[in-house]
Amino acid sequence: EAGVVQSPRYKIIEKKQPVAFWCNPISGHNTLYWYLQNLGQGPELLIRYENEEAVDDSQLPKDRFSAERLKGVDSTLKIQPAELGDSAVYLCASSPPIADQETQYFGPGTRLLVL
Amino acid sequence: SQQGEEDPQALSIQEGENATMNCSYKTSINNLQWYRQNSGRGLVHLILIRSNEREKHSGRLRVTLDTSKKSSSLLITASRAADTASYFCATDGGSNYKLTFGKGTLLTVNP
């Protein structure tokens, strides 16, 4: 079974530029999460989707961050414009339908460096 | 905001020794999970313990949970160099399956 796929794995941009990250969850997983992980810290939830609906986006900085999950499968996280403080690893995770939703399966992450 | 806090922040041991990591948290939980993160990789789920459980085993892993002290411990027995990673505890405090992670313990197992 393929795991959660993320691309790109690494991205270097200059501040004020836009950037987008893509995630393909495990097949059949209806819940998708985006996390931000700063160096030396644990992941922090940005947004959670149930199918195509964003059910928890309270931690998403909506002035510059946006996300979408069209058709309830793949998801894109965008930052526009990027700031120096956005340098971090962006992790995508998915979990199966409710019966076993407690465990999350993470992708390898996208490491973003903003110069 | 971080809910869990792991202790120690870093741990270095020799191959074959046991490694113990602790996690403390602040609010009530439904379950507590441990994840491992190797350098350059995503997080991998190791084990989940529910709030009504006190101890759980999985292979070389043993997890305990003390809800009265709001703490958990992860024991890795007979450690291997491949166990070198960061270990995070994550708490699930409600019905929305939101995980709150600690800062992690960096475990180094020397061959």
Side-chain angles (χ1 to χ4, degrees):
Chain A
E1 178 184 84
V4 176
V5 179
Q6 291 188 247
S7 69
R9 291 293 307 276
Y10 305 92
K11 188 75 176 178
I12 301 175
I13 61 172
E14 296 195 345
K15 63 181 180 181
K16 301 184 181 180
Q17 294 300 307
V19 65
F21 315 122
W22 175 80
C23 173
N24 178 243
I26 294 173
S27 178
H29 284 196
N30 59 325
T31 305
L32 184 146
Y33 312 78
W34 282 103
Y35 287 87
L36 164 70
Q37 186 176 21
N38 287 305
L39 187 64
Q41 303 289 318
E44 297 183 50
L45 181 68
L46 289 173
I47 189 168
R48 177 171 72 96
Y49 281 94
E50 292 287 345
N51 299 304
E52 64 274 10
E53 181 183 0
V55 296
D56 184 356
D57 63 355
S58 57
Q59 302 301 313
L60 189 72
K62 298 181 183 63
D63 57 337
R64 297 184 300 107
F65 286 66
S66 64
E68 61 182 13
R69 191 184 184 197
L70 301 177
K71 301 181 181 178
V73 180
D74 295 359
S75 178
T76 302
L77 177 68
K78 298 179 181 178
I79 309 175
Q80 182 171 13
E83 298 179 350
L84 296 177
D86 296 331
S87 295
V89 177
Y90 292 82
L91 296 168
C92 179
S94 67
S95 59
I98 292 177
D100 191 24
Q101 198 174 52
E102 294 148 326
T103 299
Q104 297 182 21
Y105 299 81
F106 284 80
T110 296
R111 188 175 297 272
L112 173 68
L113 179 60
V114 182
L115 302 176
Chain B
S1 62
Q2 313 272 192
Q3 150 87 306
E5 190 163 321
E6 290 87 345
D7 170 60
Q9 290 187 335
L11 179 61
S12 182
I13 60 174
Q14 295 299 122
E15 209 164 23
E17 294 180 340
N18 296 341
T20 299
M21 289 158 270
N22 302 296
C23 170
S24 60
Y25 57 92
K26 298 174 184 175
T27 61
S28 62
I29 61 171
N30 285 340
N31 66 69
L32 184 145
Q33 304 179 34
W34 286 90
Y35 285 78
R36 180 186 68 212
Q37 186 174 39
N38 297 97
S39 176
R41 295 190 182 183
L43 282 89
V44 175
H45 179 264
L46 295 176
I47 195 166
L48 179 153
I49 187 165
R50 301 188 186 284
S51 59
N52 61 352
E53 298 175 311
R54 292 298 169 258
E55 186 171 315
K56 204 163 184 179
H57 296 254
S58 177
R60 294 184 295 113
L61 305 180
R62 172 176 167 258
V63 171
T64 62
L65 179 64
D66 187 336
T67 53
S68 66
K69 295 181 179 179
K70 291 186 170 59
S71 67
S72 173
S73 68
L74 171 68
L75 168 66
I76 303 174
T77 60
S79 63
R80 306 166 181 167
D83 294 329
T84 295
S86 290
Y87 291 81
F88 295 88
C89 68
T91 53
D92 178 350
S95 59
N96 61 358
Y97 306 104
K98 178 177 178 177
L99 288 182
T100 305
F101 286 82
K103 295 183 178 181
T105 292
L106 176 60
L107 172 65
T108 302
V109 181
N110 302 299

